Amino acid sequence: MSEAPATGQLQPGLLARCGCHAPAFWQQGWLLRLESDGAKQAAALIQPSLLWGFALPLLERLQGLAATGVRPLIALNGPVGAGKSSLARCLHQLAPLLGLRLAVASIDDAYLPW
């Protein structure tokens, strides 16, 4: 499983914008969610700093938006090998832990063959 950061290393401002005002409680909740085998595998897809500093807060934000009926679109942009597909795969696999369903589309799937 991806190692949890010290509570002091969490981004309280980011978490607050995602609706979380108790970082230690938030972290404990995610540690429990990440105990399942599928969640461990998903969390291992990306670096712990990206998981705890971006992916999990983003999922929390998506959960909050979904609760209000909003269906957001997220686009990832970056150079080849930056980890866009790994991040998308991680988000897709962890989303059900919050009752979310994500659809992932990649332009890699649309390239014409050589």
Side-chain angles (χ1 to χ4, degrees):
M1 178 178 47
S2 185
E3 192 172 310
T7 304
Q9 293 175 328
L10 294 173
Q11 301 291 325
L14 173 62
L15 291 173
R17 285 193 299 272
C18 294
C20 169
H21 300 287
F25 182 75
W26 177 85
Q27 180 179 353
Q28 282 301 105
W30 271 108
L31 286 171
L32 291 173
R33 288 181 185 118
L34 294 174
E35 283 299 312
S36 72
D37 288 336
K40 286 180 188 178
Q41 291 174 351
L45 291 171
I46 59 175
Q47 294 180 359
S49 59
L50 184 58
L51 175 72
W52 289 96
F54 181 70
L56 299 180
L58 176 60
L59 285 171
E60 293 280 341
R61 179 71 174 135
L62 292 174
Q63 183 186 39
L65 290 170
T68 65
V70 174
R71 296 177 71 179
L73 172 69
I74 299 168
L76 300 173
N77 184 23
V80 173
K84 301 175 299 292
S85 296
S86 296
L87 175 60
R89 194 173 309 111
C90 177
L91 292 170
H92 186 256
Q93 290 178 13
L94 293 178
L97 295 175
L98 295 178
L100 299 172
R101 293 182 310 154
L102 300 182
V104 176
S106 168
I107 64 164
D108 294 342
D109 299 334
Y111 286 136
L112 295 174
W114 287 90

